Amino acid sequence: MKKLAIAFTLVATTLSISACSTLKGAAIGGAGGAGVAAATGGSVEKGAAVGGTAGAVVGTVAD
């Protein structure tokens, strides 16, 4: 259940920052993913990786 909550939170975060460029999106997504993972007791490294990837994708699409 925690992984599902993290995934939904990351998607919401990346959609809310969709106007960012690729690098900004990756940085913000990585920070958001790490924060969500830390808050929910998940792996901070994995949260940052997933958030950074999602942020980069959204930033690329937005540009």
Side-chain angles (χ1 to χ4, degrees):
M1 188 66 179
K2 283 184 184 179
K3 289 182 182 181
L4 185 60
I6 290 170
F8 282 131
T9 304
L10 289 176
V11 169
T13 301
T14 56
L15 289 176
S16 68
I17 60 168
S18 63
C20 294
S21 66
T22 302
L23 293 177
K24 269 189 184 175
I28 293 171
V36 169
T40 60
S43 170
V44 175
E45 293 85 9
K46 288 180 184 177
V50 171
T53 302
V57 168
V58 170
T60 301
V61 171
D63 277 347

